[in-house]
Amino acid sequence: MTELVDRLRSQAERYHAAHPFHVRMNDGELSRRQIEGWVANRFAYQEAIPIKDAAILSNCPDVAVRRRWIRRITDHDGVDGASGATGKGGGEEGGIEAWVRLGEACGVPREEMLDHRHVVPGVRFAVDAYVTFARTKPWVVAVASSLTELFAPDLMANRLAAFEKYYTWIDPEGLQYFRNRLFQAPRDSEHALEVVLEHCRTPETEQLAYDALAFKNDVLWAMMDAIDRAYPE
Ligand code: AHQ
């Protein structure tokens, strides 16, 4: 059991926190245009997360797992009646709206976030590959691909500190998305790891879980390569 956890955690070294673009971001070296390009491109990923999670739900026969997994969808979509990108009135607006607010705080108008005009092909294809993976692989394998979030809390904390320290032209209100992930990511990855350890008990299924995490690290890294190339120093 712990051997699988150790193997999965060894994937941390391939996590996109180590991508040169993220390293420069957290060292305060990015230009305003690079930050704007990153936030506009990452929006395509954020919008796809609830679609990906709904695909996993649609393939998952386990009610107890669905009861917890469905929270990921409202975390991003918000709840009916919410304000912002997809709602109108009051209520919890969700991570997609919070990411639009991050874009506006960075200087990208709402319309330019929503219409994906800045999204480059490499980001679009990586995001599509992730959604297709979740739709077509066994649901536990798709759950395993979300385990990059085991490595997210450190990145989120370092990123939040970097934005507050170096990118002071961004209204701190716009950083709420990152603050929300500080508690949502550990909660989500704890559940995903529980599911994977419960269902991946043979060498074959352990390898499928490991390969799913490696695939997702490639998805995230490919997105950063495309953004880095589109917004060179
Ligand atoms: O904001 C992120 C998010 O909502 C998710 C969901 C999760 C998944 O289901 O694959 N992964 C993920 C990630 C988010 N933010 C990324 C970042 O660097 O801001 C990290 C990413 C992940 O670690 O997979």
Side-chain angles (χ1 to χ4, degrees), residues 177-189:
Y177 183 83
F178 302 137
R179 296 190 186 96
N180 294 345
R181 292 314 293 171
L182 285 174
F183 68 86
Q184 287 174 344
R187 180 203 66 194
D188 289 349
S189 60

Side-chain angles (χ1 to χ4, degrees), residues 25-186:
M25 176 185 283
N26 289 355
D27 288 345
E29 295 171 7
L30 294 187
S31 67
R32 182 167 186 147
R33 186 170 179 280
Q34 289 174 312
I35 295 281
E36 290 175 354
W38 175 82
V39 75
N41 273 272
R42 268 292 307 277
F43 185 65
Y45 177 79
Q46 298 306 138
E47 277 193 318
I49 293 297
I51 305 293
K52 179 272 298 188
D53 288 325
I56 293 174
L57 278 179
S58 70
N59 291 331
C60 175
D62 184 321
V63 175
V65 171
R66 294 206 304 265
R67 276 199 184 125
R68 288 175 69 183
W69 202 267
I70 200 164
R71 197 171 38 194
R72 294 164 177 251
I73 296 180
T74 48
D75 280 349
H76 285 83
D77 285 343
V79 293
D80 189 28
S83 64
T86 54
K88 289 170 285 300
E92 190 188 318
E93 56 196 16
I96 288 173
E97 174 57 22
W99 197 278
V100 173
R101 299 273 169 92
L102 170 64
E104 291 177 309
C106 293
V108 184
R110 172 176 293 268
E111 183 197 356
E112 294 186 22
M113 295 288 284
L114 295 175
D115 69 13
H116 288 199
R117 69 182 70 178
H118 300 296
V119 176
V120 295
V123 168
R124 188 164 43 252
F125 296 150
V127 171
D128 289 351
Y130 188 29
V131 174
T132 301
F133 188 90
R135 284 181 173 147
T136 57
K137 295 294 183 184
W139 71 276
V140 174
V141 174
V143 165
S145 69
S146 75
L147 283 173
T148 41
E149 278 211 294
L150 288 170
F151 321 128
D154 288 350
L155 174 58
M156 229 44 68
N158 294 337
R159 183 184 294 159
L160 191 54
F163 271 65
E164 290 169 339
K165 179 178 180 183
Y166 300 116
Y167 307 112
T168 50
W169 46 272
I170 298 172
D171 177 353
E173 276 302 299
L175 305 178
Q176 190 55 42
Y177 183 83
F178 302 137
R179 296 190 186 96
N180 294 345
R181 292 314 293 171
L182 285 174
F183 68 86
Q184 287 174 344

